[in-house]
Amino acid sequence: MASLLNLPFVSYFLPSSMTAWSTSLNLLFFYMTWTTLVLSQSPFKLEILGTLAIRLIFWLLPSLVFLLFDTLCPGISVSLKYKGAVDLQDRHVRTHARLLGLGVFNLLTSTAVQALISFGVSTLIKAPVYRTTTTLPLPWQMAKHIAILFLLREVLTYYIHRFVLHAHAQDSKRGSSLTNRLTDLHIRYAHANNPPSSSSTTTSSWRKSSSLSLQPTQPTPLTLFADHPAPSLLHRFLPLYLPPL
């Protein structure tokens, strides 16, 4: 009943008192559910299982849905693509199976690394890394913290991706051998194998090695975590884990 009352078109036919009552009831149910989780589960388990569940629900499942849609309904998918058939996903089962396996492996690896760090730090300082409380934050506090986290995440992502994972060959004298190695791994595993344009006369050095890429011709949602484990931890894990600390 509460879910039905939350539908937008239903609220037009109901008095404001009923919709307000429905919102208050949903907040009460949410508070009761959250309080039960906090009191029954440890902060460490909430952090690890919550992070894993969010990644599975908001990355893996939608990625598989979009991939199946492009594969099973190519005619409808082409009509929705900006460039038509050019943006249609490759239908190579082996390629997508490799992307899926690599993405799931990196997802589990980042979760395991997060669990090791959180367990080690919490053991060292005798306190959980992320505190859990039954007190719900105010909307303004949530908006402020989300804005700060997004800003810090984007700054870290840009600098790591630009200066660590794209140390170009012409900058090799300034960069270390480790940085160049990470660049090679990132380009090979994470960048789409786009053929060079015949009209282009100059190509950046990191694009020249794209013929060795393990990616399909067109990027897919699965490519978010489809990278070598070392660059993936730097590019996908650190910008998300460090700002909340």
Side-chain angles (χ1 to χ4, degrees), residues 16-242:
S16 57
S17 58
M18 291 192 65
T19 56
W21 171 82
S22 175
T23 302
S24 301
L25 188 60
N26 285 333
L27 289 176
L28 177 61
F29 285 153
F30 175 79
Y31 178 77
M32 293 173 59
T33 304
W34 175 247
T35 302
T36 303
L37 283 175
V38 170
L39 296 179
S40 61
Q41 305 295 334
S42 65
F44 175 77
K45 184 180 293 187
L46 287 177
E47 174 195 348
I48 301 304
L49 295 182
T51 303
L52 182 61
I54 289 174
R55 289 172 176 173
L56 292 177
I57 294 173
F58 293 101
W59 169 69
L60 184 58
L61 292 182
S63 299
L64 294 177
V65 169
F66 283 116
L67 179 60
L68 289 176
F69 178 75
D70 289 344
T71 304
L72 300 179
C73 306
I76 301 176
S77 180
V78 167
S79 63
L80 299 176
K81 300 289 184 180
Y82 178 74
K83 295 183 180 179
V86 177
D87 288 337
L88 196 62
Q89 307 293 347
D90 296 334
R91 304 185 69 179
H92 300 141
V93 177
R94 182 177 300 178
T95 300
H96 292 294
R98 183 171 60 242
L99 287 180
L100 178 61
L102 186 60
V104 172
F105 177 78
N106 285 331
L107 179 65
L108 296 178
T109 300
S110 62
T111 304
V113 171
Q114 179 180 354
L116 288 176
I117 295 176
S118 298
F119 180 78
V121 173
S122 61
T123 303
L124 182 63
I125 65 177
K126 305 300 182 180
V129 177
Y130 298 106
R131 294 180 303 171
T132 55
T133 177
T134 57
T135 303
L136 297 179
L138 297 176
W140 165 245
Q141 291 179 334
M142 293 179 60
K144 181 179 67 175
H145 290 168
I146 290 174
I148 295 174
L149 292 177
F150 268 111
L151 179 61
L152 294 177
R153 187 198 69 174
E154 293 302 316
V155 170
L156 287 174
T157 300
Y158 171 78
Y159 279 98
I160 292 175
H161 190 252
R162 171 64 180 85
F163 296 104
V164 178
L165 301 182
H166 279 277
H168 297 182
Q170 59 267 26
D171 300 330
S172 58
K173 294 182 179 180
R174 292 180 295 175
S176 64
S177 58
L178 177 60
T179 303
N180 293 332
R181 178 58 177 167
L182 290 173
T183 298
D184 294 336
L185 292 174
H186 175 67
I187 292 170
R188 186 185 177 200
Y189 280 81
H191 283 274
N193 190 11
N194 293 322
S197 175
S198 59
S199 60
S200 176
T201 57
T202 60
T203 305
S204 60
S205 59
W206 65 271
R207 279 296 185 186
K208 290 180 181 179
S209 60
S210 63
S211 59
L212 301 176
S213 175
L214 300 179
Q215 297 282 347
T217 303
Q218 295 297 331
T220 71
L222 291 174
T223 59
L224 177 65
F225 282 97
D227 198 349
H228 189 274
S232 178
L233 289 174
L234 291 174
H235 190 208
R236 300 298 179 189
F237 172 71
L238 286 184
L240 285 176
Y241 187 77
L242 292 181

